[in-house]
Amino acid sequence: MLQRKEYKFWFCTGSQDLYGEEVLQHVAAHSREIVEELNRSGVLPYEVVWKPVLITNQLIRQTFNEANEDPFCAGVITWMHTFSPAKSWILGLQEYRKPLLHLHTQYNEEIPYDSIDMDFMNENQAAHGDREYGHIVSRMRIERKVVVGYWKDPVVREKIASWMRTAVGVVESSHIRVMRVADNMRNVAVTEGDKVEAQIKFGWEVDAYPVNSIAERVHEVSDADVNCLLEEYYSKYNMILDGRDPEEFRQHVAVQARIELGFERFLEENHYQAIVTHFGDLGALQQLPGLAIQRLMEKGYGFGAEGDWKVAAMVRLMKIMTEGKKDAKGTSMMEDYTYNLVRGKEGILEAHMLEICPSIADGPISVRVAPLSMGDREDPARLVFTSKEGRGIAVSLVDLGNRFRLIINDVECKKTERPMPMLPVATNYWTPYPDLYTGAEAWILAGGAHHTAFTYDLTAEQMVEWAELVGIEAVCIDEHTTIPAFKKELRLGEVFYR
Ligand code: MN
């Protein structure tokens, strides 16, 4: 489902014809070598494509417009090897619409003390040319990433790799289509939002369908297909019967297998990559989709509960941004549920009624069937597990009435002190940075929701840069957060993002 699009990034080197043909040949050769080495490093998630050295207004403008037009180009990396008068860049930059990275590097690592002369200086003056170029980008108020350092430095390469994922998030955001088979839960505020503004800002298309249109597709799934998927479930997961009759248990699980297949077919046929459901609006569905939604999320679909389309789109977005990441630990919808307030052991138990993505699971995954205690349907089957340890981010996109705000909290995922055998849902457990008290206070002051999009595989920096590129406010809660400074930041946001 989450097919990797073969995005590429263009590498554009700036220069001018003042230094003669030989210098321009060196500039071309050096930038080619940098591109080849970056691709060979294995660090970058996407390929870099070398472009001929840009020295004229006309060529710069043409190249940026070609980048706009190419559906596989997710961004342009620029670097001024020599001096490149920045007025030549104005028209190209003005017309360019994709993410921009300014790689402030230099071909040579060390000053060649014994041989350096003025010819060398003129050929290797990124310190000079990149400032001229940077000035015009700032003057034009264009959002871009600046990465500084030697191009062979692993830290520099990691920064480029990280930005590439943000850039793909920006480009792919406008391909996200969320299917709503239920409205937002009645009277709930934080899951609401302006869908028109979301399409303007992020490119998301959010469409409503009657729940029975998808329920019909579920009922059309053949018994043979259901049995085949059930075999997969039974071979993959531990079945915990909790005293239920094995046949009755199997029938409950079969309902979820049928939902998984029916939902997936409907989403594929209608080109949706994210879905919301609502436990109170299930139409002809026999159970709240639990196991079915969990497996769809694992396949790359976004999901939001109780009609929460913002979370569904964010989960999808973050799954795209982490796609193909080596040793990825997972991305899921999450909900803040219950605290542990014991001094020194503070944390938040994260879960949902059912719908947590098994990509974040640590160890074996079980299937259980239990009452929902809400709604009016039969006991749904769900995947039950605990989650991986380590650092992650919880992300909430809220609509403040006049604008969107993205709230990002660094969290440390842990094991709970003891198992919770009576709790029949998947869980995560984390302590927010800088500590539970400051983290939760800042989250509440910022208006953060109880539903979040969570991942181990992105950094706050990547999400902030995504927000900057789509033009919305972002606030981070991390180890440096203090409440007085955070309050000041929120007040500044009120002025800046008006
Ligand atoms: Mn919920």
Side-chain angles (χ1 to χ4, degrees):
M1 156 63 200
L2 196 53
Q3 281 157 0
R4 192 178 170 80
K5 191 164 174 187
E6 290 306 316
Y7 279 117
K8 295 180 192 329
F9 288 83
W10 292 10
F11 194 96
C12 296
T13 312
S15 188
Q16 62 176 341
D17 57 8
L18 200 66
Y19 315 108
E21 189 51 38
E22 199 188 333
V23 168
L24 283 177
Q25 279 170 14
H26 291 165
V27 169
H30 292 164
S31 56
R32 251 184 210 284
E33 186 185 336
I34 291 176
V35 168
E36 279 163 19
E37 289 293 321
L38 285 176
N39 285 329
R40 224 195 313 268
S41 72
V43 175
L44 306 187
Y46 297 93
E47 190 190 339
V48 182
V49 178
W50 182 83
K51 290 285 161 182
V53 177
L54 300 179
I55 54 171
T56 65
N57 189 325
Q58 188 260 337
L59 185 60
I60 291 168
R61 189 177 191 179
Q62 181 191 325
T63 304
F64 274 121
N65 274 298
E66 285 167 7
N68 283 336
E69 290 305 310
D70 183 343
F72 292 98
C73 174
V76 171
I77 300 169
T78 47
W79 169 51
M80 306 304 120
H81 187 313
T82 65
F83 196 74
S84 178
K87 286 186 191 172
S88 333
W89 290 80
I90 291 174
L91 292 175
L93 287 169
Q94 210 160 40
E95 288 163 13
Y96 180 60
R97 295 190 306 271
K98 288 182 177 174
L100 183 67
L101 180 130
H102 181 184
L103 178 60
H104 184 42
T105 190
Q106 182 171 277
Y107 179 67
N108 57 303
E109 185 178 21
E110 192 177 28
I111 294 173
Y113 299 104
D114 299 331
S115 62
I116 188 166
D117 56 13
M118 279 316 291
D119 286 343
F120 180 92
M121 294 265 273
N122 282 329
E123 190 176 295
N124 298 278
Q125 51 171 314
H128 180 169
D130 269 336
R131 282 176 165 74
E132 162 76 358
Y133 167 76
H135 165 74
I136 203 68
V137 185
S138 287
R139 174 165 171 165
M140 294 175 74
R141 274 71 170 177
I142 294 172
E143 285 295 343
R144 85 288 205 188
K145 173 77 173 176
V146 180
V147 173
V148 180
Y150 187 49
W151 51 281
K152 284 186 184 168
D153 182 346
V155 176
V156 167
R157 291 175 172 180
E158 281 297 341
K159 284 183 179 173
I160 300 171
S162 159
W163 169 80
M164 280 180 162
R165 293 191 177 280
T166 302
V168 165
V170 170
V171 173
E172 276 282 330
S173 187
S174 63
H175 300 295
I176 293 177
R177 300 178 76 230
V178 184
M179 184 197 174
R180 305 167 68 227
V181 292
D183 198 356
N184 303 82
M185 189 174 162
R186 276 187 292 281
N187 292 321
V188 176
V190 80
T191 59
E192 282 284 2
D194 183 339
K195 297 192 282 293
V196 178
E197 196 58 24
Q199 191 156 6
I200 293 170
K201 282 278 186 297
F202 317 125
W204 301 344
E205 194 179 319
V206 186
D207 299 329
Y209 285 76
V211 64
N212 281 344
S213 56
I214 201 167
E216 269 169 38
R217 203 71 184 86
V218 171
H219 289 295
E220 285 161 19
V221 174
S222 73
D223 290 345
D225 287 352
V226 170
N227 285 329
C228 187
L229 188 55
L230 269 178
E231 290 306 316
E232 186 187 328
Y233 291 176
Y234 272 75
S235 67
K236 210 169 168 181
Y237 308 121
N238 303 323
M239 298 295 159
I240 299 181
L241 294 183
D242 293 314
R244 299 181 95 107
D245 172 71
E247 195 40 48
E248 184 252 11
F249 181 92
R250 192 180 171 93
Q251 278 164 18
H252 275 78
V253 181
V255 170
Q256 293 287 334
R258 199 178 293 277
I259 295 174
E260 180 183 337
L261 290 167
F263 271 36
E264 190 170 19
R265 286 171 192 172
F266 192 95
L267 291 166
E268 266 180 16
E269 286 159 7
N270 296 285
H271 310 292
Y272 288 98
Q273 304 83 30
I275 184 169
V276 302
T277 60
H278 180 350
F279 66 87
D281 191 0
L282 292 173
L285 294 171
Q286 280 170 266
Q287 297 176 10
L288 174 65
L291 189 155
I293 285 292
Q294 292 177 288
R295 286 182 44 101
L296 288 175
M297 250 193 288
E298 193 178 21
K299 288 174 183 171
Y301 287 94
F303 173 75
E306 290 95 54
D308 196 337
W309 53 269
K310 297 198 300 303
V311 164
M314 286 307 297
V315 169
R316 168 67 183 174
L317 176 78
M318 287 159 65
K319 281 182 179 278
I320 291 168
M321 288 171 72
T322 60
E323 189 196 351
K325 191 168 189 233
K326 236 182 279 171
D327 308 318
K329 291 166 76 179
T331 302
S332 178
M333 177 199 158
M334 204 55 85
E335 184 171 82
D336 302 306
Y337 242 110
T338 295
Y339 286 128
N340 188 19
L341 291 176
V342 177
R343 279 277 172 192
K345 297 175 181 177
E346 298 91 339
I348 316 173
L349 186 63
E350 300 284 327
H352 202 259
M353 292 159 89
L354 307 172
E355 312 92 330
I356 300 300
C357 177
S359 65
I360 67 170
D362 188 25
I365 299 175
S366 306
V367 176
R368 292 177 73 171
V369 174
L372 249 199
S373 75
M374 266 188 256
D376 55 359
R377 299 305 151 107
E378 65 179 43
D379 302 352
R382 76 289 303 273
L383 298 173
V384 180
F385 51 85
T386 58
S387 298
K388 299 179 185 86
E389 293 176 83
R391 198 165 174 129
I393 53 168
V395 178
S396 173
L397 177 69
V398 293
D399 186 335
L400 293 177
N402 62 342
R403 68 183 191 276
F404 289 108
R405 173 184 281 160
L406 194 70
I407 302 147
I408 307 140
N409 196 174
D410 284 0
V411 299
E412 193 65 39
C413 301
K414 306 164 176 178
K415 292 290 169 196
T416 51
E417 226 178 344
R418 298 212 307 272
M420 300 168 287
M422 299 298 288
L423 190 65
V425 288
T427 57
N428 198 342
Y429 179 74
W430 69 52
T431 306
Y433 281 91
D435 56 69
L436 175 71
Y437 306 99
T438 313
E441 183 177 347
W443 186 270
I444 288 169
L445 288 172
H450 54 277
H451 286 167
T452 56
F454 164 82
T455 185
Y456 295 100
D457 305 319
L458 292 170
T459 60
E461 185 185 16
Q462 285 172 303
M463 295 313 298
V464 167
E465 285 171 359
W466 176 81
E468 286 169 352
L469 285 170
V470 296
I472 65 160
E473 179 184 14
V475 291
C476 292
I477 305 166
D478 57 24
E479 59 255 66
H480 308 297
T481 298
T482 62
I483 294 300
F486 192 73
K487 278 183 169 172
K488 245 181 237 171
E489 189 184 349
L490 294 180
R491 284 190 203 112
L492 279 176
E494 291 291 347
V495 179
F496 187 82
Y497 293 97
R498 178 168 299 282

